[in-house]
């Protein structure tokens, strides 16, 4: 089976670009799975259902994330689609994901402290 996974962060965001890309890959309409919620983690209902449904030899398409750091060409995920380029892109995405999660945690902590101080 061939599946496609689409995710946008909010209900207001448009997922058409992802739908078009997955249709071009001949993903059957009934196998296009969509979540409309934050990308901060993988606690997404449709994603979880999809993962449980996947079997050996199934194919899952997603629309890629392109990242370009202007001052570090090594972090341009649009280039180097060979094994080393893919490896480096994966590392970059993992690091950026960690940094984003850490920033969210720090932000929440600071917001809690601010609210406590405000009550004093």
């Amino acid at each position: 089976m061939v599946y496609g996974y689409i995710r946008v962060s909010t209900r207001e965001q448009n997922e058409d670009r992802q739908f078009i890309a997955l249709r071009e890959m001949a993903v059957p309409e009934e196998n296009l799975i969509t979540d409309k919620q934050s990308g901060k983690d993988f606690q997404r209902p449709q994603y979880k259902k999809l993962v449980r449904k996947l079997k050996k030899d199934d194919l899952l398409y997603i629309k890629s994330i392109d990242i370009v750091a202007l001052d570090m060409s090594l972090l341009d995920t649009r280039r180097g689609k060979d094994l080393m380029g893919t490896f480096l892109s994966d590392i970059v995405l993992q690091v950026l994901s960690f940094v984003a999660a850490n920033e969210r945690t720090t932000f929440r902590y600071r917001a809690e402290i601010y609210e406590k101080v405000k009550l004093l």
Side-chain angles (χ1 to χ4, degrees):
M1 294 292 286
V2 177
Y3 296 93
Y5 180 68
I6 297 165
R7 186 197 62 81
V8 291
S9 296
T10 66
R11 296 193 183 283
E12 293 78 33
Q13 286 183 317
N14 191 318
E15 64 274 7
D16 288 348
R17 179 180 59 87
Q18 295 177 64
F19 272 119
I20 291 166
L22 295 174
R23 284 186 190 125
E24 288 174 358
M25 298 307 298
V27 176
E29 189 84 24
E30 65 272 11
N31 290 353
L32 292 173
I33 311 301
T34 305
D35 274 317
K36 289 189 175 188
Q37 68 183 81
S38 170
K40 69 179 181 172
D41 57 37
F42 283 97
Q43 302 305 314
R44 305 174 201 144
Q46 298 306 315
Y47 174 80
K48 285 181 165 188
K49 286 180 189 176
L50 174 61
V51 169
R52 285 192 300 268
K53 187 186 292 191
L54 291 173
K55 296 181 180 72
K56 185 179 185 312
D57 296 324
D58 283 350
L59 180 60
L60 174 61
Y61 284 105
I62 60 169
K63 181 76 176 131
S64 69
I65 302 171
D66 289 331
I67 298 169
V68 179
L70 295 176
D71 60 348
M72 296 184 79
S73 61
L74 176 66
L75 301 183
D76 186 344
T77 62
R78 301 170 305 161
R79 297 185 200 158
K81 296 300 182 186
D82 59 357
L83 184 58
M84 181 57 76
T86 300
F87 174 70
L88 291 174
S89 294
D90 288 348
I91 289 173
V92 168
L93 292 174
Q94 290 296 324
V95 168
L96 292 175
S97 176
F98 170 79
V99 169
N102 194 44
E103 286 178 357
R104 278 190 299 277
T105 300
T106 301
F107 177 80
R108 276 191 296 250
Y109 173 74
R110 288 179 181 160
E112 289 174 14
I113 296 297
Y114 175 78
E115 288 300 317
K116 288 177 182 176
V117 168
K118 198 167 78 171
L119 293 174
L120 294 178

